[in-house]
């Protein structure tokens, strides 16, 4: 009985057992996978029924250990550099052989799933895991074929994820023992040395970011999407931590998806079958849809329980800031199923501005929209990647450079064509700081952000007076329902206006410096979207 009342309040979790029988478990249900995970000591069951698991040493993605095999298919197509690191074909074969040998006597959890709610652009997956909770993660995050579909299911792409297998950098061609390697010709992803489940989901996103724009002319997007009661679609671009999941989970609108989508000639469709939301400081009052989605079948990563209970302590940061939950999209009551919406009427660029100078809401003209799409400004939020412990100024092209195998201008070209054709409204939303920079100011109130987005969606800002921001050139509304007027002008929230001016000019100069590498692509209309000084 003693073991039954032990509660993991400290960052020490039991190590998964290593005794294996070499069995293969295919397409198990969530209940069966949870039974395996508990028996194998991969995690604990919380009081609300969710499986609580640790990701070990890696509590975020490791972008410097992600590779793409360089071969005839990718040599001239991939945007090689710090983001897309080339990997040798022979080394891939060598590593694959070593992984297969390592897995030969292991218990394996195999899942057949799909990515892409639009049947015309769907990719079928075979996923091989050594951890039961990883296979549950894939059940939650990818699309789940029906029993009839499984009878004739043939996979297009394979993921092999073995956290307990490490590469030998001196022999295998990796920088570190951990790795995530995409082979777009063999249609495989190898992941080893890391138990961070997000590597699997982002690996498939990267694959779709290569195949859909390059081969089908579909714009792949790092965004969330929802639709109103009249079917009007809105999409929210932004890096992790800027509010994509939170702001798209709106009780008054239907959720299409929270992170990855494609934009075709007549629709927007979700790549995934679930949501992967940050849960640090989560409460039902602030985010009821996400809070209530954490139940039996959901996974919560890297959290701890309140002492003496099995109640999750969402304020606990002892492991990481990047605590997350993964749940199937139908756990959100008003989700759109299948996850397909119409052409967007409103597009929101979300930025967590650590400088505290970007207005909380601005309307962008076409030049500014293209400029800021290519720039992709935000602050990386603590914990999203290894080594990031506080908000860090960054420019991530197309609001997702870390997942773009192609040059950003290829995505920007598609975005520009679609934006022009459909005459969508584009808004820049600052979910970051106000009243000063990070460390001095405060985070933008979620209630204010929701009110501004609601006003934009309902069209009430069409009748508001706008001012032109003297530094960035944005059109900024001077009034907005349920938002104090002084909040709309960030300069008014600073104690010292001169400090604001100096900081705003520093950020404007950072935009201009960052855009130098895109000048060769940008035409005169795009360059008109740059800061005014």
């Amino acid at each position: 009985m003693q073991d039954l009342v032990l509660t993991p309040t400290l960052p020490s979790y039991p190590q998964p057992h290593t005794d294996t029988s070499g069995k293969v478990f295919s397409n198990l249900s969530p209940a069966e996978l949870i039974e395996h995970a508990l028996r194998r000591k991969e995690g604990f069951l919380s009081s609300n029924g969710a499986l609580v698991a640790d990701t070990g040493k890696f509590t975020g993605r490791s972008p410097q250990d992600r590779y793409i095999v360089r071969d005839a298919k990718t040599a001239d197509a991939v945007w090689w550099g710090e983001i897309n690191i080339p990997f040798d074909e022979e080394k891939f074969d060598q590593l694959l052989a070593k992984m297969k040998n390592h897995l030969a006597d292991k218990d394996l959890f195999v899942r057949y799933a799909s990515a892409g709610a639009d049947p015309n652009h769907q990719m079928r997956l075979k996923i091989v895991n050594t951890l039961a909770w990883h296979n549950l993660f894939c059940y939650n995050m990818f699309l789940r074929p029906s029993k009839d579909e499984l009878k004739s299911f043939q996979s297009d792409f394979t993921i092999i994820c073995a956290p307990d297998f490490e590469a030998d950098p001196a022999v295998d061609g990796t920088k570190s023992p951990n790795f995530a390697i995409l082979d777009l010709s063999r249609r495989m992803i190898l992941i080893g040395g890391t138990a961070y489940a997000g590597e699997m989901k982002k690996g498939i996103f990267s694959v779709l970011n290569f195949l859909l724009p390059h081969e089908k002319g579909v714009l792949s997007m790092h965004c969330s999407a929802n639709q109103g009661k009249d079917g009007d679609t809105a999409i929210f671009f932004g890096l992790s931590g800027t509010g994509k999941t939170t702001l798209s989970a709106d009780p008054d609108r239907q959720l299409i998806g929270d992170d990855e989508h494609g934009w075709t000639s007549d629709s927007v469709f979700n790549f995934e079958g679930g949501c992967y939301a940050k849960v640090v400081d989560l409460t039902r009052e602030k985010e009821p849809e996400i809070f209530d989605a954490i139940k039996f079948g959901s996974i919560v990563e890297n959290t701890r329980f309140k002492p003496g209970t099995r109640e999750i302590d969402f304020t606990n940061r002892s492991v990481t800031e990047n605590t997350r939950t993964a749940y199937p999209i139908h756990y959100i009551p008003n989700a759109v199923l299948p996850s397909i919406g119409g052409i967007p009427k409103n597009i929101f660029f979300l930025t967590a501005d650590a400088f505290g100078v970007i207005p909380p809401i601005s309307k962008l003209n076409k030049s500014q929209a293209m400029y800021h799409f290519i720039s992709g400004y935000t602050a990386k939020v603590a914990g999203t990647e290894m080594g990031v412990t506080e908000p860090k100024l960054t420019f991530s092209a197309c609001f997702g450079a870390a997942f773009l195998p192609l040059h950003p201008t290829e995505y920007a070209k598609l975005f520009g064509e679609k934006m022009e054709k459909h005459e969508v409204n584009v808004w820049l939303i600052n979910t970051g700081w106000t009243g000063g920079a990070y460390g001095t100011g405060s985070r933008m109130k979620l209630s204010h952000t929701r009110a501004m987005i609601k006003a934009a969606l309902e069209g009430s800002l069409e009748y508001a007076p706008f001012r032109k921001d003297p530094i960035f050139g944005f059109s900024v509304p001077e009034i907005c329902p349920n938002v104090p007027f002084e909040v709309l002008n960030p300069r008014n929230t600073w104690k010292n206006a001169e400090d604001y001016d100096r900081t705003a000019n520093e950020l404007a100069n950072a935009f201009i410096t960052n855009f130098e590498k895109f000048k060769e692509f940008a035409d005169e209309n795009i360059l008109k979207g740059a800061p005014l000084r």
Side-chain angles (χ1 to χ4, degrees):
M1 290 294 292
Q2 181 68 20
D3 288 341
L4 295 179
V5 298
L6 287 177
T7 302
T9 58
L10 299 174
S12 55
Y13 259 49
Q15 294 299 311
H17 83 298
T18 56
D19 297 332
T20 61
S21 58
K23 293 183 179 179
V24 176
F25 302 93
S26 296
N27 273 44
L28 296 185
S29 68
E32 290 170 316
L33 289 169
I34 290 169
E35 287 178 347
H36 278 284
L38 296 175
R39 177 180 59 82
R40 291 159 54 92
K41 298 182 179 179
E42 294 177 7
F44 299 93
L45 209 60
S46 69
S47 59
N48 58 12
L51 181 68
V52 177
D54 262 14
T55 63
K57 176 183 177 182
F58 294 92
T59 58
R61 292 180 298 103
S62 184
Q64 294 304 309
D65 298 297
R66 170 198 177 272
Y67 309 88
I68 297 178
V69 173
R70 184 167 189 156
D71 57 19
K73 184 182 185 73
T74 60
D76 296 327
V78 168
W79 176 38
W80 301 109
E82 294 182 359
I83 292 173
N84 299 307
I85 305 168
F87 199 79
D88 184 76
E89 291 181 81
E90 293 183 3
K91 292 291 186 182
F92 183 90
D93 289 336
Q94 173 182 302
L95 199 56
L96 175 59
K98 290 174 67 174
M99 287 189 77
K100 286 182 175 179
N101 184 61
H102 173 80
L103 298 175
D105 61 350
K106 299 287 190 299
D107 287 350
L108 300 178
F109 299 89
V110 177
R111 176 154 306 282
Y112 295 97
S114 298
D118 186 333
N120 296 317
H121 304 291
Q122 195 168 82
M123 185 168 68
R124 291 161 297 183
L125 310 174
K126 178 181 180 181
I127 306 154
V128 180
N129 299 117
T130 57
L131 293 176
W133 83 263
H134 271 191
N135 207 246
L136 177 61
F137 177 89
C138 293
Y139 172 89
N140 287 348
M141 293 310 304
F142 296 117
L143 295 165
R144 297 158 286 276
S146 66
K147 289 184 178 180
D148 287 339
E149 290 172 329
L150 286 172
K151 292 177 183 178
S152 58
F153 194 91
Q154 293 184 340
S155 58
D156 304 310
F157 224 94
T158 300
I159 303 173
I160 301 176
C161 181
D164 57 332
F165 175 84
E166 293 187 339
D168 181 350
V171 175
D172 297 321
T174 60
K175 294 179 181 178
S176 309
N178 60 292
F179 58 87
I181 308 173
L182 283 60
D183 190 321
L184 294 163
S185 294
R186 293 175 184 80
R187 292 182 171 260
M188 296 185 73
I189 299 175
L190 304 183
I191 301 172
T194 173
Y196 183 65
E199 293 283 12
M200 292 183 286
K201 130 188 180 69
K202 288 305 184 185
I204 291 300
F205 184 39
S206 297
V207 170
L208 292 171
N209 281 336
F210 179 86
L211 297 176
L212 291 180
H214 191 60
E215 298 180 0
K216 294 191 174 184
V218 172
L219 176 62
S220 53
M221 305 176 292
H222 190 209
C223 70
S224 60
N226 62 25
Q227 67 179 19
K229 295 176 182 178
D230 296 329
D232 60 299
T233 297
I235 58 180
F236 302 78
F237 282 96
L239 296 180
S240 295
T242 56
K244 293 193 313 302
T245 299
T246 298
L247 294 171
S248 57
D250 185 331
D252 296 325
R253 295 175 65 83
Q254 292 182 295
L255 179 68
I256 299 172
D258 82 322
D259 196 40
E260 305 168 4
H261 293 80
W263 185 348
T264 71
S265 59
D266 57 7
S267 70
V268 167
F269 69 95
N270 192 357
F271 289 167
E272 302 181 298
C275 302
Y276 194 35
K278 291 174 73 72
V279 296
V280 64
D281 295 328
L282 179 69
T283 64
R284 176 179 276 118
E285 291 70 29
K286 289 194 297 186
E287 300 177 69
E289 291 78 21
I290 297 173
F291 190 94
D292 290 338
I294 300 176
K295 55 187 178 181
F296 186 79
S298 299
I299 299 167
V300 182
E301 296 176 351
N302 298 319
T303 56
R304 291 294 176 262
F305 297 149
K306 295 178 179 179
T309 76
R310 286 295 176 105
E311 182 182 351
I312 299 171
D313 181 1
F314 292 112
T315 67
N316 191 307
R317 292 167 165 81
S318 61
V319 180
T320 178
E321 286 268 352
N322 194 33
T323 53
R324 287 183 177 268
T325 179
Y327 50 85
I329 195 168
H330 58 260
Y331 278 18
I332 299 294
N334 60 345
V336 177
L337 297 173
S339 303
I340 305 174
I343 297 298
K345 292 185 177 180
N346 288 280
I347 294 174
F348 298 92
F349 294 163
L350 306 178
T351 178
D353 174 30
F355 277 72
V357 297
I358 297 291
I361 182 169
S362 308
K363 190 170 185 180
L364 309 185
N365 60 35
K366 291 177 182 178
S367 296
Q368 292 165 343
M370 284 294 293
Y371 186 93
H372 284 271
F373 181 72
I374 295 171
S375 298
Y377 165 65
T378 191
K380 288 182 180 177
V381 177
T384 302
E385 292 181 4
M386 295 300 296
V388 178
T389 57
E390 62 181 41
K392 179 183 178 183
L393 170 68
T394 187
F395 291 94
S396 183
C398 311
F399 295 94
F403 320 115
L404 305 183
L406 306 176
H407 193 279
T409 56
E410 294 200 38
Y411 305 96
K413 180 181 178 182
L414 276 173
F415 175 77
E417 290 172 353
K418 292 180 179 295
M419 182 182 64
E420 183 80 23
K421 179 180 178 180
H422 300 291
E423 298 183 343
V424 296
N425 297 316
V426 180
W427 307 86
L428 179 64
I429 302 290
N430 177 16
T431 63
W433 279 259
T434 184
Y438 170 78
T440 301
S442 59
R443 197 75 190 258
M444 200 74 65
K445 287 186 178 181
L446 179 60
S447 60
H448 291 165
T449 301
R450 287 193 185 279
M452 289 182 279
I453 289 175
K454 182 179 181 181
L457 290 171
E458 293 179 348
S460 58
L461 292 182
E462 292 180 14
Y463 309 104
F466 282 76
R467 68 176 180 87
K468 185 175 182 179
D469 187 279
I471 294 175
F472 295 97
F474 308 141
S475 294
V476 182
E478 295 186 321
I479 58 173
C480 178
N482 300 311
V483 180
F485 74 91
E486 64 271 12
V487 172
L488 298 170
N489 186 340
R491 193 171 189 264
N492 293 339
T493 66
W494 283 54
K495 292 181 180 180
N496 188 312
E498 292 181 357
D499 288 344
Y500 170 87
D501 293 338
R502 183 178 62 257
T503 306
N505 277 293
E506 289 176 1
L507 180 58
N509 289 333
F511 268 96
I512 293 167
T513 299
N514 171 74
F515 209 83
E516 286 293 326
K517 58 180 172 286
F518 299 116
K519 265 193 170 182
E520 183 180 352
F521 157 77
D523 59 26
E524 184 179 349
N525 286 330
I526 294 175
L527 293 176
K528 286 181 181 178
L532 302 180
R533 53 175 175 169

